[in-house]
Amino acid sequence: MDFQEEVGIEVSGDPYNESYATNKQYDAIQAQIDFLSGDRSKIKDLLKPTWEVAVDEYIDNKSRLQNNPPNFRDRKDMKRVLRIASTFAASLGGSSIKVGNSYLLSEISREDARRWIEEQLQAGRTLPTVGRDSAALSAIYKTAQWEYQQKDPELGARGNPFSGLRDELKERDDLAVRKGQRIKVSARPWSPDELDQLKALLPAMNEEARLCVKLAMFTGARLKDVCGLMIDELELNGELDSAIRIEGNWWREVSKDSIERRIPLYGEMLQDLKDYVSTKDFSSDQKLTPRYAKTVDSAGSLSNLLNQRYIDSFSKDPTLKPHGFRNTLQAKFDAADTPNKTSGYLIGWKNQDTVGMQKEYNKQGYPHLQLLQVLKACHAVEEWAS
């Protein structure tokens, strides 16, 4: 009897009709046995969280929010998280990822975070890149802090050691740019001549790439949003009542810094879509361009194709990027004297004006003909600032 109680087995009933039940003490002992056998899953739940546990929890939480899609850890964005988390573990562990992964989350300090930053910079990574990576580390810590603060009260009482570091790095980078220590390379509007050169290469592209590029130039939407379109997001009717909806669907959301919107279709773009759709069978796959919609990261392959095979064939300018289609459309809107509130909505800039406009339209109905007129004026522009 004493032995049974010591190992967490509760005995009840008379000696001739005993019943047995296990309690938390039994579960704890069993978890230790499993741990010695190589199964760490149960004992991890009884311990204060380590950095490795925090990383696992972050990825598992992301997966749960998307209904646990298969091979979630193999996605490009999750591989990036794992890579960044491993660099921090190596920093914590004095070059040993294994040692760093075993650190308790509540032991990680602001000094640890800053040391990792300086190591990354010394390794040749840029301030903006390290800033983006630090945001991932901050998200990992924040998720685990919320999840495990009851198991580790000290963790709940601490601040996030990565909080605000990305803003600091941005300030350092802005200063470096102002002093000429770094040349900032960002997407810019394409010139009319550059755009014509790319259009001349459209016939050489595969059918799906050609359609995605045309849609990106016409709508100003990011390649990720264009490649993620579903057939039911197209309204292919006449010249005055056709549209494309850039919105979240069952397999991907719109880019995080964009808004959902409805963009009029007309002319050549409308006819291109009608011709394309008429030759396809969408009964088994509703994705408009499945070649570039295999995963949420597939648009990256189209971006690489454009950069390496087509754009590089006529320009080595690092600021000439597919993302610049957005800037180009905005420059054309500016040349057509379009109010920023309207052009921002159509391109999908996420700010107070466009989000407010979106909400207003959702209540009152979209003024389709007004947006159609604005878009036609934009695409009629032949000269714009670039």
Side-chain angles (χ1 to χ4, degrees):
M1 176 75 75
D2 291 341
F3 169 76
Q4 291 168 326
E5 291 179 350
E6 287 178 3
V7 297
I9 299 176
E10 298 177 352
V11 182
S12 59
D14 58 64
Y16 300 100
N17 187 27
E18 292 181 342
S19 61
Y20 306 91
T22 60
N23 56 27
K24 291 183 178 180
Q25 184 177 354
Y26 174 89
D27 293 337
I29 294 173
Q30 185 61 50
Q32 295 176 49
I33 295 172
D34 292 342
F35 176 75
L36 293 174
S37 302
D39 182 357
R40 302 168 56 240
S41 59
K42 293 180 181 178
I43 201 168
K44 280 200 304 183
D45 291 336
L46 303 174
L47 301 174
K48 292 181 178 181
T50 62
W51 178 246
E52 183 177 26
V53 170
V55 175
D56 287 342
E57 175 57 35
Y58 176 79
I59 294 177
D60 290 345
N61 182 60
K62 285 281 189 181
S63 180
R64 284 193 299 271
L65 292 175
Q66 298 187 30
N67 294 324
N68 299 311
N71 304 317
F72 186 76
R73 280 178 172 255
D74 294 333
R75 283 179 23 169
K76 183 179 179 181
D77 54 345
M78 291 301 102
K79 286 183 177 179
R80 172 180 173 269
V81 168
L82 289 168
R83 175 186 60 77
I84 296 168
S86 293
T87 66
F88 184 68
S91 178
L92 281 176
S95 300
S96 171
I97 294 176
K98 183 176 181 180
V99 172
N101 276 333
S102 68
Y103 263 64
L104 293 180
L105 208 62
S106 55
E107 294 177 336
I108 296 174
S109 66
R110 187 76 161 183
E111 290 72 22
D112 293 325
R114 291 191 183 281
R115 182 177 64 253
W116 169 82
I117 285 175
E118 296 309 317
E119 289 173 356
Q120 293 296 296
L121 294 175
Q122 290 171 12
R125 301 182 71 80
T126 65
L127 287 163
T129 299
V130 178
R132 287 191 296 271
D133 290 355
S134 73
L137 298 179
S138 180
I140 291 170
Y141 193 95
K142 183 178 180 181
T143 299
Q145 191 176 35
W146 174 260
E147 189 71 23
Y148 295 105
Q149 55 186 327
Q150 291 185 336
K151 289 182 182 178
D152 189 349
E154 184 181 354
L155 179 63
R158 291 170 57 90
N160 185 332
F162 303 98
S163 179
L165 291 180
R166 184 176 187 177
D167 291 337
E168 285 187 15
L169 289 167
K170 185 179 183 307
E171 290 179 6
R172 289 173 62 179
D173 185 57
D174 290 343
L175 180 60
V177 171
R178 288 197 301 271
K179 288 186 173 182
Q181 298 168 344
R182 185 178 83 82
I183 298 175
K184 191 170 186 177
V185 179
S186 56
R188 60 165 175 81
W190 290 50
S191 71
D193 181 60
E194 290 165 339
L195 206 59
D196 286 342
Q197 290 185 75
L198 182 63
K199 288 179 179 179
L201 296 173
L202 286 172
M205 299 180 189
N206 69 70
E207 186 180 29
E208 292 185 29
R210 181 165 59 250
L211 183 67
C212 288
V213 172
K214 284 184 175 182
L215 282 169
M217 289 191 291
F218 183 85
T219 65
R222 289 174 171 81
L223 287 180
K224 173 186 175 183
D225 294 333
V226 167
C227 293
L229 286 167
M230 307 289 288
I231 184 62
D232 62 1
E233 291 166 340
L234 302 180
E235 301 171 23
L236 305 182
N237 302 306
E239 287 286 320
L240 299 179
D241 58 351
S242 294
I244 183 171
R245 301 193 308 278
I246 307 292
E247 58 190 18
N249 51 46
W250 69 266
W251 80 281
R252 72 99 172 91
E253 299 178 350
V254 295
S255 301
K256 63 182 180 180
D257 52 354
S258 296
I259 62 169
E260 295 187 343
R261 60 234 189 245
R262 183 175 179 273
I263 304 169
L265 290 170
Y266 68 92
E268 181 181 330
M269 189 73 257
L270 174 59
Q271 190 59 51
D272 285 344
L273 282 166
K274 286 183 175 182
D275 292 344
Y276 175 87
V277 169
S278 68
T279 63
K280 305 298 179 186
D281 179 8
F282 295 99
S283 59
S284 60
D285 192 344
Q286 298 289 302
K287 295 173 182 176
L288 184 65
T289 54
R291 180 171 185 163
Y292 298 110
K294 295 176 182 177
T295 72
V296 293
D297 302 313
S298 294
S301 64
L302 176 56
S303 180
N304 292 335
L305 176 70
L306 287 177
N307 282 317
Q308 297 168 13
R309 181 177 299 181
Y310 297 106
I311 298 175
D312 278 1
S313 71
F314 62 85
S315 176
K316 301 297 183 182
D317 185 346
T319 66
L320 196 62
K321 304 176 181 180
H323 186 80
F325 295 153
R326 294 170 64 76
N327 306 78
T328 306
L329 197 62
Q330 182 62 60
K332 294 172 77 172
F333 274 128
D334 292 341
D337 291 326
T338 307
N340 286 336
K341 186 175 181 179
T342 306
S343 64
Y345 168 78
L346 285 166
I347 295 176
W349 304 122
K350 191 172 186 178
N351 56 46
Q352 188 172 357
D353 282 343
T354 57
V355 171
M357 190 177 188
Q358 181 188 42
K359 291 178 179 178
E360 179 183 345
Y361 280 0
N362 282 340
K363 292 177 182 177
Q364 301 176 7
Y366 291 85
H368 180 88
L369 293 179
Q370 176 188 341
L371 295 181
L372 176 61
Q373 181 180 13
V374 165
L375 194 59
K376 283 185 175 182
C378 165
H379 284 299
V381 169
E382 298 180 354
E383 295 291 335
W384 58 87
S386 58

